Amino acid sequence: MKILEQKILKDGKILGGDILKVDNFLNHQMDVALFNELGRDIYTHYQGCGVNKILTIEASGIGLACITAQFFNCNVLFAKKRKSLNISDDVFSTKVYSFTKKTEYDVVVSKEYLGKDDKVLIIDDFLANGNACLGLIDLVRKAGGEVVGVSCAVEKTYQGGYDKIAALGYDVYSLARIAEMKDGHIKFVE
Ligand code: 5GP
């Protein structure tokens, strides 16, 4: 999506460790008008697939998930990050390794809100190594639901998340695909 690519070039900052800082518009301050365009685009891609729930992970995916859900007319469920000690029987849980925090944590959703009738679109802000989205896929699988697709605002293609998730047969749709971040320059997939 050209408008997202242009926004990344204008306001994104490359940090060390292959991290793109976009907290000016995506995951701290949120550009709602831009989100609306992203949400519409995600809707156009998955329209007609029967999506009846959007699943994301706290906190950075929630904004885009909620705006997108308005197009699908469905609810958003966000997975919560927990300490292992607090996991109870009434949740589905999985483990996720965090790319940005370099640590593993548990993510949970209540069994009350995810089940076999759910046709789930997974949304997050970034797709890097794919761990966050694979964790969300695992939660849907444990609940007996169906994953319709996985959509992220920004994908760093060279980190392999797309390949892992697409190899499982899921429809992965990213709005801006970064091919390279080097020496302060960002190159998008043509
Ligand atoms: P993955 O699990 O795919 O390796 O990484 C995705 C998660 O890590 C996302 O939920 C996102 O919050 C965070 N993340 C990964 N790469 C970046 C990045 O370059 N910038 C920011 N701000 N977050 C990232």
Side-chain angles (χ1 to χ4, degrees), residues 70-85:
Q70 290 187 308
F71 291 95
F72 286 98
N73 197 20
C74 71
N75 284 339
V76 172
L77 178 65
F78 68 89
K80 298 186 175 192
K81 296 171 183 168
R82 284 272 166 82
K83 295 246 159 55
S84 299
L85 293 174

Side-chain angles (χ1 to χ4, degrees), residues 127-131 133-134 150 155-167 172:
L127 177 59
N129 297 289
N131 296 321
C133 290
L134 286 167
V150 175
E155 176 189 329
K156 290 176 286 178
T157 54
Y158 54 93
Q159 290 184 317
Y162 176 95
D163 293 334
K164 283 183 213 160
I165 297 169
V172 186

Side-chain angles (χ1 to χ4, degrees), residues 80-171:
K80 298 186 175 192
K81 296 171 183 168
R82 284 272 166 82
K83 295 246 159 55
S84 299
L85 293 174
N86 296 338
I87 308 278
S88 58
D89 276 354
D90 53 359
V91 296
F92 297 113
S93 76
T94 193
K95 290 192 185 298
V96 169
Y97 179 79
S98 164
F99 171 72
T100 47
K101 307 234 161 49
K102 309 286 178 226
T103 177
E104 192 175 66
Y105 53 88
D106 291 283
V107 294
V108 304
V109 292
S110 168
K111 287 183 179 171
E112 216 177 320
Y113 304 126
L114 195 59
K116 61 176 177 40
D117 296 330
D118 286 323
K119 289 172 81 79
V120 180
L121 174 60
I122 290 171
I123 285 186
D124 201 6
D125 58 343
F126 272 89
L127 177 59
N129 297 289
N131 296 321
C133 290
L134 286 167
L136 295 176
I137 290 170
D138 189 42
L139 292 176
V140 178
R141 197 186 50 77
K142 283 175 173 157
E146 178 189 338
V147 175
V148 171
V150 175
S151 188
C152 295
V154 186
E155 176 189 329
K156 290 176 286 178
T157 54
Y158 54 93
Q159 290 184 317
Y162 176 95
D163 293 334
K164 283 183 213 160
I165 297 169
L168 297 174
Y170 297 113
D171 178 3

